[in-house]
Amino acid sequence: MAKLAEEMNPEGSRYKLLLSCPSGLSPSQVSVDFSKSHDRIPHPDPDLEDSIAQVWEQRSQGNSSLFNGQKFRYGSYCLDGDDGGANEVPHVCLRLGLTDYRTFVGTNLSSLWERFLVTSEDDSVRCRHTSSPLGNGAVIETSDKKIIVLRRSNNVGEFPGHYVFPGGHPEPTAVGIDYHQLSNYAQTGELLNKKVTQEMFDSIICEVVEETGIPASSLSPPLFIGISRRELNVRPAMFFYLKCSHHSDDIPRLYSSAEDGFESTQLHTVSLDELKMMTSRMPGCHHGGFALYELMLQRLKNTKETSLIAT
């Protein structure tokens, strides 16, 4: 059974693996604790806190397409069934709060982002003043074992022109969450947590369909393989592994009619070796997503070798 563990990137500081789940977790092995206690804590420096509104105003004036939407905030996680016994199923609980794009732009994406950090070995403490919206990404294998990669367009807010896995964000609005209703959540906390958990898995399917044009019926149920965070502006993203029943030759045709194709300029289907060469042109969090995929492949290889020895 795979062990869930926090790992540092051995190659440098482009990313950190906050959580690695190389066995791949299904929805029954993931839960969410959605609580106001996981929201961002305002910074004690009033001038720094005021800079959030100033940065947003400057960015908004330069880009009329910007709008302030709600996002889930990544706080931390906890583990159960971490290889404690042969029959135990690993389980991870994600601790999530609420944030918005305005605060993300004013903290993580601000030129002052490092000033929002706290010196601490505890990651949740270190990032308690940042927005830290939880993004998502999908490592998709085609039927001929190619991986789908997009090249971002030049008019997106983050890393224009870079290579990324298809993805975006799980959406609070998809489960009826409104920031101003937080005080009412305690009445339906357990049900809401289940809905948010399902949104983690549903949202990645939606993102893949919208960005690649691949129909949902051609995709396997997603498996959660971990959380990566880029060290530049401490941006977290959760990654999933999916299989696609289409051959790589079919994907460009599907991509040509993708609903959100405008977010990218090209789609590539690449081999593992080709993908490895592209990671230097990925945002750090997506480079970390590739590392999570490699850990999954290594576990599959070890499992097969163990099975051969046993027989």
Side-chain angles (χ1 to χ4, degrees), residues 134-140 148 164-170 200-201 203-205 207-208 211 222-228 235-242 285-286 289-290 292:
L134 182 61
N136 60 20
V139 182
I140 310 165
I148 296 173
V164 294
F165 297 111
H169 298 85
M200 298 297 113
F201 288 82
S203 62
I204 194 61
I205 293 289
E207 294 287 358
V208 170
E211 293 191 356
L223 292 175
F224 174 53
I225 60 173
I227 299 175
S228 165
R235 171 72 145 106
M238 61 193 312
F239 284 88
F240 296 83
Y241 167 71
L242 298 88
C285 47
H286 282 254
F290 171 73
L292 291 168

mmCIF file of all heavy atoms in Angstrom, residues 134-140 148 164-170 200-201 203-205 207-208 211 222-228 235-242 285-286 289-290 292:
data_model
loop_
_atom_site.group_PDB
_atom_site.id
_atom_site.type_symbol
_atom_site.label_atom_id
_atom_site.label_comp_id
_atom_site.label_asym_id
_atom_site.label_seq_id
_atom_site.Cartn_x
_atom_site.Cartn_y
_atom_site.Cartn_z
ATOM 1 N N LEU A 134 -6.986 26.946 -3.937
ATOM 2 C CA LEU A 134 -6.599 25.600 -4.345
ATOM 3 C C LEU A 134 -6.952 25.377 -5.810
ATOM 4 O O LEU A 134 -8.125 25.307 -6.173
ATOM 5 C CB LEU A 134 -7.301 24.564 -3.466
ATOM 6 C CG LEU A 134 -6.949 23.102 -3.743
ATOM 7 C CD1 LEU A 134 -5.446 22.847 -3.513
ATOM 8 C CD2 LEU A 134 -7.778 22.172 -2.856
ATOM 9 N N GLY A 135 -5.926 25.287 -6.651
ATOM 10 C CA GLY A 135 -6.136 24.971 -8.053
ATOM 11 C C GLY A 135 -6.187 23.468 -8.264
ATOM 12 O O GLY A 135 -6.032 22.683 -7.320
ATOM 13 N N ASN A 136 -6.411 23.051 -9.504
ATOM 14 C CA ASN A 136 -6.366 21.627 -9.808
ATOM 15 C C ASN A 136 -5.768 21.398 -11.187
ATOM 16 O O ASN A 136 -5.707 22.305 -12.019
ATOM 17 C CB ASN A 136 -7.743 20.972 -9.689
ATOM 18 C CG ASN A 136 -8.799 21.549 -10.622
ATOM 19 O OD1 ASN A 136 -8.482 22.184 -11.628
ATOM 20 N ND2 ASN A 136 -10.067 21.347 -10.289
ATOM 21 N N GLY A 137 -5.295 20.182 -11.414
ATOM 22 C CA GLY A 137 -4.704 19.813 -12.692
ATOM 23 C C GLY A 137 -4.893 18.330 -12.929
ATOM 24 O O GLY A 137 -5.000 17.547 -11.977
ATOM 25 N N ALA A 138 -4.935 17.939 -14.202
ATOM 26 C CA ALA A 138 -5.182 16.548 -14.570
ATOM 27 C C ALA A 138 -4.060 16.009 -15.448
ATOM 28 O O ALA A 138 -3.760 16.587 -16.501
ATOM 29 C CB ALA A 138 -6.508 16.425 -15.311
ATOM 30 N N VAL A 139 -3.435 14.924 -14.997
ATOM 31 C CA VAL A 139 -2.483 14.193 -15.828
ATOM 32 C C VAL A 139 -3.293 13.126 -16.559
ATOM 33 O O VAL A 139 -3.769 12.172 -15.944
ATOM 34 C CB VAL A 139 -1.373 13.545 -14.982
ATOM 35 C CG1 VAL A 139 -0.374 12.830 -15.886
ATOM 36 C CG2 VAL A 139 -0.665 14.594 -14.127
ATOM 37 N N ILE A 140 -3.481 13.312 -17.869
ATOM 38 C CA ILE A 140 -4.378 12.459 -18.655
ATOM 39 C C ILE A 140 -3.559 11.599 -19.610
ATOM 40 O O ILE A 140 -2.808 12.116 -20.444
ATOM 41 C CB ILE A 140 -5.366 13.303 -19.476
ATOM 42 C CG1 ILE A 140 -6.053 14.348 -18.591
ATOM 43 C CG2 ILE A 140 -6.406 12.416 -20.154
ATOM 44 C CD1 ILE A 140 -6.762 15.425 -19.385
ATOM 45 N N ILE A 148 -1.473 14.521 -22.169
ATOM 46 C CA ILE A 148 -2.011 15.749 -22.757
ATOM 47 C C ILE A 148 -1.477 16.977 -22.011
ATOM 48 O O ILE A 148 -1.570 17.065 -20.784
ATOM 49 C CB ILE A 148 -3.553 15.731 -22.715
ATOM 50 C CG1 ILE A 148 -4.076 14.580 -23.583
ATOM 51 C CG2 ILE A 148 -4.124 17.071 -23.168
ATOM 52 C CD1 ILE A 148 -5.574 14.363 -23.474
ATOM 53 N N VAL A 164 1.090 23.583 -19.351
ATOM 54 C CA VAL A 164 0.374 23.161 -18.142
ATOM 55 C C VAL A 164 -0.444 21.906 -18.450
ATOM 56 O O VAL A 164 -0.745 21.602 -19.608
ATOM 57 C CB VAL A 164 -0.594 24.259 -17.621
ATOM 58 C CG1 VAL A 164 0.154 25.475 -17.132
ATOM 59 C CG2 VAL A 164 -1.614 24.636 -18.689
ATOM 60 N N PHE A 165 -0.805 21.200 -17.395
ATOM 61 C CA PHE A 165 -1.804 20.153 -17.516
ATOM 62 C C PHE A 165 -3.185 20.823 -17.520
ATOM 63 O O PHE A 165 -3.354 21.887 -16.924
ATOM 64 C CB PHE A 165 -1.703 19.181 -16.342
ATOM 65 C CG PHE A 165 -0.399 18.442 -16.269
ATOM 66 C CD1 PHE A 165 0.520 18.706 -15.246
ATOM 67 C CD2 PHE A 165 -0.077 17.477 -17.211
ATOM 68 C CE1 PHE A 165 1.731 18.035 -15.184
ATOM 69 C CE2 PHE A 165 1.137 16.797 -17.151
ATOM 70 C CZ PHE A 165 2.043 17.084 -16.138
ATOM 71 N N PRO A 166 -4.175 20.232 -18.180
ATOM 72 C CA PRO A 166 -5.523 20.812 -18.123
ATOM 73 C C PRO A 166 -5.989 20.952 -16.673
ATOM 74 O O PRO A 166 -5.708 20.093 -15.841
ATOM 75 C CB PRO A 166 -6.374 19.778 -18.874
ATOM 76 C CG PRO A 166 -5.415 19.071 -19.780
ATOM 77 C CD PRO A 166 -4.122 19.018 -19.010
ATOM 78 N N GLY A 167 -6.669 22.035 -16.374
ATOM 79 C CA GLY A 167 -7.141 22.234 -15.005
ATOM 80 C C GLY A 167 -7.622 23.650 -14.767
ATOM 81 O O GLY A 167 -7.728 24.459 -15.689
ATOM 82 N N GLY A 168 -7.907 23.932 -13.526
ATOM 83 C CA GLY A 168 -8.406 25.253 -13.134
ATOM 84 C C GLY A 168 -8.603 25.305 -11.643
ATOM 85 O O GLY A 168 -7.639 25.258 -10.877
ATOM 86 N N HIS A 169 -9.867 25.361 -11.196
ATOM 87 C CA HIS A 169 -10.193 25.416 -9.773
ATOM 88 C C HIS A 169 -11.492 24.682 -9.494
ATOM 89 O O HIS A 169 -12.433 24.764 -10.285
ATOM 90 C CB HIS A 169 -10.396 26.861 -9.290
ATOM 91 C CG HIS A 169 -9.197 27.742 -9.426
ATOM 92 N ND1 HIS A 169 -8.901 28.415 -10.593
ATOM 93 C CD2 HIS A 169 -8.231 28.075 -8.535
ATOM 94 C CE1 HIS A 169 -7.791 29.121 -10.420
ATOM 95 N NE2 HIS A 169 -7.372 28.940 -9.176
ATOM 96 N N PRO A 170 -11.601 24.008 -8.346
ATOM 97 C CA PRO A 170 -12.934 23.624 -7.856
ATOM 98 C C PRO A 170 -13.668 24.905 -7.474
ATOM 99 O O PRO A 170 -13.040 25.870 -7.017
ATOM 100 C CB PRO A 170 -12.635 22.745 -6.639
ATOM 101 C CG PRO A 170 -11.249 23.121 -6.211
ATOM 102 C CD PRO A 170 -10.527 23.555 -7.447
ATOM 103 N N MET A 200 -14.442 18.488 -5.577
ATOM 104 C CA MET A 200 -13.019 18.313 -5.873
ATOM 105 C C MET A 200 -12.836 17.394 -7.090
ATOM 106 O O MET A 200 -11.997 17.646 -7.959
ATOM 107 C CB MET A 200 -12.273 17.727 -4.666
ATOM 108 C CG MET A 200 -12.293 18.583 -3.405
ATOM 109 S SD MET A 200 -11.469 20.178 -3.579
ATOM 110 C CE MET A 200 -12.870 21.280 -3.419
ATOM 111 N N PHE A 201 -13.630 16.325 -7.153
ATOM 112 C CA PHE A 201 -13.520 15.348 -8.233
ATOM 113 C C PHE A 201 -14.327 15.760 -9.463
ATOM 114 O O PHE A 201 -13.878 15.563 -10.591
ATOM 115 C CB PHE A 201 -13.956 13.965 -7.729
ATOM 116 C CG PHE A 201 -12.967 13.326 -6.797
ATOM 117 C CD1 PHE A 201 -12.942 13.656 -5.444
ATOM 118 C CD2 PHE A 201 -12.040 12.408 -7.259
ATOM 119 C CE1 PHE A 201 -12.020 13.084 -4.584
ATOM 120 C CE2 PHE A 201 -11.102 11.829 -6.409
ATOM 121 C CZ PHE A 201 -11.092 12.170 -5.065
ATOM 122 N N SER A 203 -15.053 18.775 -10.423
ATOM 123 C CA SER A 203 -14.506 19.967 -11.076
ATOM 124 C C SER A 203 -13.379 19.630 -12.042
ATOM 125 O O SER A 203 -13.238 20.273 -13.088
ATOM 126 C CB SER A 203 -14.014 20.977 -10.031
ATOM 127 O OG SER A 203 -12.966 20.437 -9.240
ATOM 128 N N ILE A 204 -12.581 18.619 -11.718
ATOM 129 C CA ILE A 204 -11.469 18.305 -12.625
ATOM 130 C C ILE A 204 -12.000 17.697 -13.915
ATOM 131 O O ILE A 204 -11.465 17.956 -14.995
ATOM 132 C CB ILE A 204 -10.421 17.396 -11.944
ATOM 133 C CG1 ILE A 204 -9.130 17.374 -12.783
ATOM 134 C CG2 ILE A 204 -10.939 15.994 -11.706
ATOM 135 C CD1 ILE A 204 -8.465 18.730 -12.939
ATOM 136 N N ILE A 205 -13.078 16.922 -13.833
ATOM 137 C CA ILE A 205 -13.703 16.411 -15.051
ATOM 138 C C ILE A 205 -14.224 17.572 -15.899
ATOM 139 O O ILE A 205 -13.995 17.626 -17.122
ATOM 140 C CB ILE A 205 -14.861 15.449 -14.717
ATOM 141 C CG1 ILE A 205 -14.345 14.172 -14.051
ATOM 142 C CG2 ILE A 205 -15.669 15.124 -15.967
ATOM 143 C CD1 ILE A 205 -13.598 13.253 -14.979
ATOM 144 N N GLU A 207 -13.205 20.688 -15.930
ATOM 145 C CA GLU A 207 -12.094 21.449 -16.493
ATOM 146 C C GLU A 207 -11.511 20.744 -17.711
ATOM 147 O O GLU A 207 -11.209 21.379 -18.731
ATOM 148 C CB GLU A 207 -10.998 21.642 -15.434
ATOM 149 C CG GLU A 207 -11.395 22.508 -14.250
ATOM 150 C CD GLU A 207 -11.499 23.993 -14.582
ATOM 151 O OE1 GLU A 207 -11.231 24.366 -15.747
ATOM 152 O OE2 GLU A 207 -11.847 24.770 -13.688
ATOM 153 N N VAL A 208 -11.350 19.428 -17.621
ATOM 154 C CA VAL A 208 -10.780 18.670 -18.739
ATOM 155 C C VAL A 208 -11.703 18.749 -19.958
ATOM 156 O O VAL A 208 -11.246 18.995 -21.084
ATOM 157 C CB VAL A 208 -10.538 17.203 -18.334
ATOM 158 C CG1 VAL A 208 -10.186 16.354 -19.561
ATOM 159 C CG2 VAL A 208 -9.417 17.111 -17.301
ATOM 160 N N GLU A 211 -11.615 22.342 -21.437
ATOM 161 C CA GLU A 211 -10.348 22.814 -21.991
ATOM 162 C C GLU A 211 -9.819 21.955 -23.130
ATOM 163 O O GLU A 211 -9.024 22.435 -23.947
ATOM 164 C CB GLU A 211 -9.289 22.899 -20.889
ATOM 165 C CG GLU A 211 -9.589 23.968 -19.849
ATOM 166 C CD GLU A 211 -8.427 24.225 -18.917
ATOM 167 O OE1 GLU A 211 -7.399 23.522 -19.030
ATOM 168 O OE2 GLU A 211 -8.535 25.128 -18.076
ATOM 169 N N PRO A 222 -11.493 10.084 -11.936
ATOM 170 C CA PRO A 222 -10.195 10.646 -11.527
ATOM 171 C C PRO A 222 -9.702 10.076 -10.203
ATOM 172 O O PRO A 222 -10.497 9.801 -9.297
ATOM 173 C CB PRO A 222 -10.475 12.143 -11.406
ATOM 174 C CG PRO A 222 -11.947 12.257 -11.212
ATOM 175 C CD PRO A 222 -12.562 11.089 -11.913
ATOM 176 N N LEU A 223 -8.398 9.904 -10.110
ATOM 177 C CA LEU A 223 -7.751 9.494 -8.871
ATOM 178 C C LEU A 223 -6.890 10.643 -8.372
ATOM 179 O O LEU A 223 -6.092 11.216 -9.132
ATOM 180 C CB LEU A 223 -6.875 8.253 -9.095
ATOM 181 C CG LEU A 223 -7.599 6.945 -9.419
ATOM 182 C CD1 LEU A 223 -6.579 5.850 -9.723
ATOM 183 C CD2 LEU A 223 -8.500 6.522 -8.263
ATOM 184 N N PHE A 224 -7.034 10.992 -7.121
ATOM 185 C CA PHE A 224 -6.282 12.082 -6.499
ATOM 186 C C PHE A 224 -4.876 11.587 -6.184
ATOM 187 O O PHE A 224 -4.700 10.585 -5.482
ATOM 188 C CB PHE A 224 -7.007 12.514 -5.229
ATOM 189 C CG PHE A 224 -6.291 13.545 -4.399
ATOM 190 C CD1 PHE A 224 -5.856 14.736 -4.954
ATOM 191 C CD2 PHE A 224 -6.069 13.319 -3.047
ATOM 192 C CE1 PHE A 224 -5.204 15.692 -4.183
ATOM 193 C CE2 PHE A 224 -5.425 14.266 -2.259
ATOM 194 C CZ PHE A 224 -4.988 15.449 -2.832
ATOM 195 N N ILE A 225 -3.840 12.283 -6.719
ATOM 196 C CA ILE A 225 -2.464 11.821 -6.514
ATOM 197 C C ILE A 225 -1.620 12.771 -5.667
ATOM 198 O O ILE A 225 -0.455 12.480 -5.391
ATOM 199 C CB ILE A 225 -1.758 11.540 -7.853
ATOM 200 C CG1 ILE A 225 -1.700 12.785 -8.740
ATOM 201 C CG2 ILE A 225 -2.440 10.388 -8.579
ATOM 202 C CD1 ILE A 225 -0.849 12.604 -10.007
ATOM 203 N N GLY A 226 -2.195 13.895 -5.234
ATOM 204 C CA GLY A 226 -1.442 14.726 -4.304
ATOM 205 C C GLY A 226 -1.609 16.215 -4.518
ATOM 206 O O GLY A 226 -2.377 16.662 -5.378
ATOM 207 N N ILE A 227 -0.864 16.981 -3.726
ATOM 208 C CA ILE A 227 -0.904 18.442 -3.792
ATOM 209 C C ILE A 227 0.518 18.967 -3.952
ATOM 210 O O ILE A 227 1.420 18.610 -3.186
ATOM 211 C CB ILE A 227 -1.536 19.052 -2.527
ATOM 212 C CG1 ILE A 227 -2.985 18.581 -2.362
ATOM 213 C CG2 ILE A 227 -1.497 20.582 -2.592
ATOM 214 C CD1 ILE A 227 -3.642 19.041 -1.085
ATOM 215 N N SER A 228 0.694 19.812 -4.948
ATOM 216 C CA SER A 228 1.977 20.467 -5.199
ATOM 217 C C SER A 228 1.816 21.965 -4.971
ATOM 218 O O SER A 228 0.742 22.522 -5.195
ATOM 219 C CB SER A 228 2.405 20.196 -6.644
ATOM 220 O OG SER A 228 3.449 21.066 -7.039
ATOM 221 N N ARG A 235 1.787 29.025 -4.505
ATOM 222 C CA ARG A 235 0.510 28.702 -5.132
ATOM 223 C C ARG A 235 0.262 27.194 -5.068
ATOM 224 O O ARG A 235 1.027 26.418 -5.642
ATOM 225 C CB ARG A 235 0.550 29.170 -6.589
ATOM 226 C CG ARG A 235 -0.637 28.720 -7.450
ATOM 227 C CD ARG A 235 -1.869 29.492 -7.040
ATOM 228 N NE ARG A 235 -2.741 29.778 -8.159
ATOM 229 C CZ ARG A 235 -3.906 29.163 -8.388
ATOM 230 N NH1 ARG A 235 -4.311 28.208 -7.584
ATOM 231 N NH2 ARG A 235 -4.643 29.514 -9.410
ATOM 232 N N PRO A 236 -0.807 26.715 -4.355
ATOM 233 C CA PRO A 236 -1.062 25.277 -4.248
ATOM 234 C C PRO A 236 -2.015 24.758 -5.334
ATOM 235 O O PRO A 236 -2.895 25.477 -5.804
ATOM 236 C CB PRO A 236 -1.717 25.154 -2.869
ATOM 237 C CG PRO A 236 -2.482 26.443 -2.723
ATOM 238 C CD PRO A 236 -1.696 27.500 -3.474
ATOM 239 N N ALA A 237 -1.835 23.510 -5.723
ATOM 240 C CA ALA A 237 -2.736 22.877 -6.688
ATOM 241 C C ALA A 237 -2.801 21.376 -6.408
ATOM 242 O O ALA A 237 -1.785 20.757 -6.093
ATOM 243 C CB ALA A 237 -2.269 23.126 -8.118
ATOM 244 N N MET A 238 -4.003 20.816 -6.517
ATOM 245 C CA MET A 238 -4.185 19.384 -6.345
ATOM 246 C C MET A 238 -4.191 18.733 -7.734
ATOM 247 O O MET A 238 -4.665 19.319 -8.702
ATOM 248 C CB MET A 238 -5.481 19.085 -5.596
ATOM 249 C CG MET A 238 -6.748 19.549 -6.264
ATOM 250 S SD MET A 238 -8.233 19.512 -5.204
ATOM 251 C CE MET A 238 -8.168 17.893 -4.485
ATOM 252 N N PHE A 239 -3.631 17.512 -7.812
ATOM 253 C CA PHE A 239 -3.506 16.854 -9.104
ATOM 254 C C PHE A 239 -4.199 15.499 -9.102
ATOM 255 O O PHE A 239 -4.255 14.808 -8.076
ATOM 256 C CB PHE A 239 -2.034 16.710 -9.503
ATOM 257 C CG PHE A 239 -1.446 18.011 -9.975
ATOM 258 C CD1 PHE A 239 -0.888 18.897 -9.061
ATOM 259 C CD2 PHE A 239 -1.503 18.377 -11.304
ATOM 260 C CE1 PHE A 239 -0.382 20.113 -9.478
ATOM 261 C CE2 PHE A 239 -1.005 19.597 -11.727
ATOM 262 C CZ PHE A 239 -0.441 20.464 -10.815
ATOM 263 N N PHE A 240 -4.721 15.164 -10.278
ATOM 264 C CA PHE A 240 -5.460 13.929 -10.481
ATOM 265 C C PHE A 240 -4.888 13.173 -11.676
ATOM 266 O O PHE A 240 -4.329 13.775 -12.597
ATOM 267 C CB PHE A 240 -6.939 14.230 -10.748
ATOM 268 C CG PHE A 240 -7.650 14.885 -9.598
ATOM 269 C CD1 PHE A 240 -7.582 16.257 -9.400
ATOM 270 C CD2 PHE A 240 -8.398 14.133 -8.695
ATOM 271 C CE1 PHE A 240 -8.238 16.869 -8.339
ATOM 272 C CE2 PHE A 240 -9.052 14.725 -7.636
ATOM 273 C CZ PHE A 240 -8.975 16.093 -7.455
ATOM 274 N N TYR A 241 -5.086 11.866 -11.647
ATOM 275 C CA TYR A 241 -4.700 11.013 -12.766
ATOM 276 C C TYR A 241 -5.962 10.465 -13.417
ATOM 277 O O TYR A 241 -6.859 9.967 -12.729
ATOM 278 C CB TYR A 241 -3.816 9.862 -12.277
ATOM 279 C CG TYR A 241 -3.612 8.770 -13.292
ATOM 280 C CD1 TYR A 241 -2.832 8.979 -14.425
ATOM 281 C CD2 TYR A 241 -4.210 7.517 -13.118
ATOM 282 C CE1 TYR A 241 -2.649 7.979 -15.360
ATOM 283 C CE2 TYR A 241 -4.026 6.506 -14.040
ATOM 284 C CZ TYR A 241 -3.247 6.741 -15.162
ATOM 285 O OH TYR A 241 -3.073 5.739 -16.072
ATOM 286 N N LEU A 242 -6.040 10.584 -14.758
ATOM 287 C CA LEU A 242 -7.183 10.075 -15.506
ATOM 288 C C LEU A 242 -6.696 9.340 -16.746
ATOM 289 O O LEU A 242 -5.668 9.701 -17.334
ATOM 290 C CB LEU A 242 -8.112 11.211 -15.965
ATOM 291 C CG LEU A 242 -8.810 12.093 -14.939
ATOM 292 C CD1 LEU A 242 -7.949 13.279 -14.547
ATOM 293 C CD2 LEU A 242 -10.137 12.604 -15.518
ATOM 294 N N CYS A 285 4.086 24.676 -9.772
ATOM 295 C CA CYS A 285 3.088 23.747 -9.234
ATOM 296 C C CYS A 285 2.781 22.625 -10.225
ATOM 297 O O CYS A 285 2.535 21.481 -9.833
ATOM 298 C CB CYS A 285 1.813 24.485 -8.829
ATOM 299 S SG CYS A 285 1.182 25.662 -10.042
ATOM 300 N N HIS A 286 2.819 22.915 -11.540
ATOM 301 C CA HIS A 286 2.580 21.879 -12.543
ATOM 302 C C HIS A 286 3.807 20.988 -12.720
ATOM 303 O O HIS A 286 3.671 19.791 -13.005
ATOM 304 C CB HIS A 286 2.156 22.510 -13.867
ATOM 305 C CG HIS A 286 0.726 22.942 -13.870
ATOM 306 N ND1 HIS A 286 -0.262 22.273 -14.554
ATOM 307 C CD2 HIS A 286 0.103 23.966 -13.226
ATOM 308 C CE1 HIS A 286 -1.425 22.859 -14.338
ATOM 309 N NE2 HIS A 286 -1.222 23.900 -13.547
ATOM 310 N N GLY A 289 3.238 18.648 -10.253
ATOM 311 C CA GLY A 289 2.242 17.680 -10.698
ATOM 312 C C GLY A 289 2.879 16.547 -11.479
ATOM 313 O O GLY A 289 2.488 15.380 -11.342
ATOM 314 N N PHE A 290 3.863 16.887 -12.313
ATOM 315 C CA PHE A 290 4.601 15.851 -13.044
ATOM 316 C C PHE A 290 5.352 14.946 -12.072
ATOM 317 O O PHE A 290 5.398 13.720 -12.247
ATOM 318 C CB PHE A 290 5.582 16.493 -14.025
ATOM 319 C CG PHE A 290 6.522 15.518 -14.668
ATOM 320 C CD1 PHE A 290 6.064 14.643 -15.642
ATOM 321 C CD2 PHE A 290 7.851 15.455 -14.289
ATOM 322 C CE1 PHE A 290 6.937 13.729 -16.233
ATOM 323 C CE2 PHE A 290 8.724 14.552 -14.865
ATOM 324 C CZ PHE A 290 8.261 13.686 -15.852
ATOM 325 N N LEU A 292 4.487 14.217 -9.038
ATOM 326 C CA LEU A 292 3.492 13.341 -8.418
ATOM 327 C C LEU A 292 3.135 12.178 -9.349
ATOM 328 O O LEU A 292 2.952 11.044 -8.901
ATOM 329 C CB LEU A 292 2.232 14.142 -8.073
ATOM 330 C CG LEU A 292 2.380 15.168 -6.953
ATOM 331 C CD1 LEU A 292 1.163 16.087 -6.895
ATOM 332 C CD2 LEU A 292 2.587 14.481 -5.603
#
